[in-house]
Amino acid sequence: MAIFTPSRRPPPAAARPARRAPVGQPGRRGLLLLQLSAVLAALLVWAGIAAAGLVSETALPGPVPVFGAFPDLFGTSTYWQAVGDTLNGAVTGFVVAVVVGVPLGLVTGTYAAVEQSSRLLVDVLRSFPVIALLPVFLLVQGSTPTMKSTVVFLACVFPVLLQAQYGARAVTPMIAETVHSYRVPRHLRFRKVVLPSATPSIMTGLRLAATTSVLVAIGVEVLSTVPGIGHEVVQAQQGGASAQAYAYILTAGAIGYTITLLSQFAERRLLRWRPPAQTD
């Protein structure tokens, strides 16, 4: 007589217990409240410093006039043109850095001879501070949007290249020996072994480079006459409109934070195949 044992199937999603936060760590709602409390505390400190007169109003206006400047800025084409110019230069340089950096990083990370022969050149080139090279680019390309995109490219290409290189080298020796023993074709080895192993590291490099692209674009605009958010900050500060200048600075911060959120969302979507990190 055969004995049948019930198969152990995982419970449906609706019946699974909700994942709880580790002991000693706040949940999602508690974390959001803590973050909002930190922002509110920073605003209160800012308002207190401005009200006490510890810093001149020209150097540090209070939060009320700064946030009060946004409605007027939103209604002007200058504001949106500045945001568009900054994003255009940042996105152009970032995209070119990805197109160049990812393939080079994968190639140099896959083949040890290529990586060793190019290591000195990469180390020397990435040691130069990009902003320090700005006068050279001003002489060569002038104060143009192309110059801004070039500086952004140089600032972003090395983080992308190095992260892709590190990810390509992350293939475990056992898997590499197995692939070599079975003589797996190169294109299949790259698509099934190298690329999945390097994708998490590549996404980290893209996230870092995306934020860096906006910061460098604004820095170039501050130090030159290239139009954008940085140029508007300088113009507002020189015209005595400190509240407007800080409004542009907060706009730059909001753009950087939005890019970070979008990068994290894209990383979660593209890396859904990875098992979740285990926490004690």
Side-chain angles (χ1 to χ4, degrees):
M1 179 177 180
I3 300 177
F4 296 93
T5 57
S7 60
R8 296 182 179 180
R9 296 181 178 179
R16 295 177 188 173
R19 298 181 61 183
R20 297 181 179 179
V23 179
Q25 294 185 11
R28 180 176 300 179
R29 184 176 300 178
L31 180 60
L32 180 61
L33 291 176
L34 289 176
Q35 292 174 345
L36 293 177
S37 300
V39 173
L40 180 60
L43 291 175
L44 291 176
V45 171
W46 179 11
I49 293 176
L54 299 178
V55 182
S56 64
E57 186 177 354
T58 304
L60 182 64
V64 174
V66 170
F67 286 101
F70 276 105
D72 295 334
L73 289 177
F74 288 160
T76 62
S77 60
T78 303
Y79 176 82
W80 299 110
Q81 183 66 35
V83 173
D85 290 336
T86 298
L87 290 178
N88 184 36
V91 170
T92 301
F94 170 74
V95 170
V96 178
V98 172
V99 173
V100 174
V102 171
L104 286 179
L106 292 175
V107 170
T108 55
T110 303
Y111 302 100
V114 179
E115 188 272 332
Q116 293 174 0
S117 61
S118 62
R119 182 183 302 172
L120 177 61
L121 179 62
V122 172
D123 289 341
V124 171
L125 291 178
R126 72 187 183 95
S127 299
F128 286 101
V130 178
I131 298 299
L133 297 175
L134 184 59
V136 178
F137 290 106
L138 285 173
L139 290 175
V140 175
Q141 296 180 314
S143 186
T144 60
T146 303
M147 183 272 298
K148 178 170 60 176
S149 300
T150 303
V151 176
V152 171
F153 161 75
L154 291 177
C156 297
V157 67
F158 291 106
V160 174
L161 187 151
L162 293 176
Q163 287 294 328
Q165 187 181 88
Y166 173 78
R169 293 203 307 261
V171 180
T172 58
M174 182 179 63
I175 295 178
E177 292 177 0
T178 302
V179 170
H180 180 72
S181 299
Y182 283 94
R183 297 181 179 180
V184 177
R186 291 184 179 181
H187 69 279
L188 190 61
R189 178 179 58 184
F190 174 81
R191 187 163 57 91
K192 295 294 186 179
V193 178
V194 176
L195 194 58
S197 176
T199 299
S201 183
I202 291 174
M203 293 303 301
T204 301
L206 296 183
R207 187 173 66 249
L208 296 174
T211 306
T212 302
S213 65
V214 177
L215 298 177
V216 173
I218 294 175
V220 172
E221 293 162 359
V222 170
L223 298 175
S224 64
T225 59
V226 180
I229 293 177
H231 182 66
E232 294 299 324
V233 170
V234 176
Q235 292 292 102
Q237 192 67 32
Q238 292 177 350
S242 300
Q244 194 176 83
Y246 275 88
Y248 277 107
I249 293 174
L250 291 179
T251 300
I255 292 174
Y257 181 67
T258 302
I259 290 176
T260 300
L261 292 180
L262 293 176
S263 301
Q264 292 175 351
F265 175 77
E267 184 174 1
R268 287 194 298 267
R269 296 287 295 179
L270 291 175
L271 302 181
R272 287 178 298 179
W273 51 269
R274 285 198 308 174
Q278 299 293 332
T279 56
D280 297 332

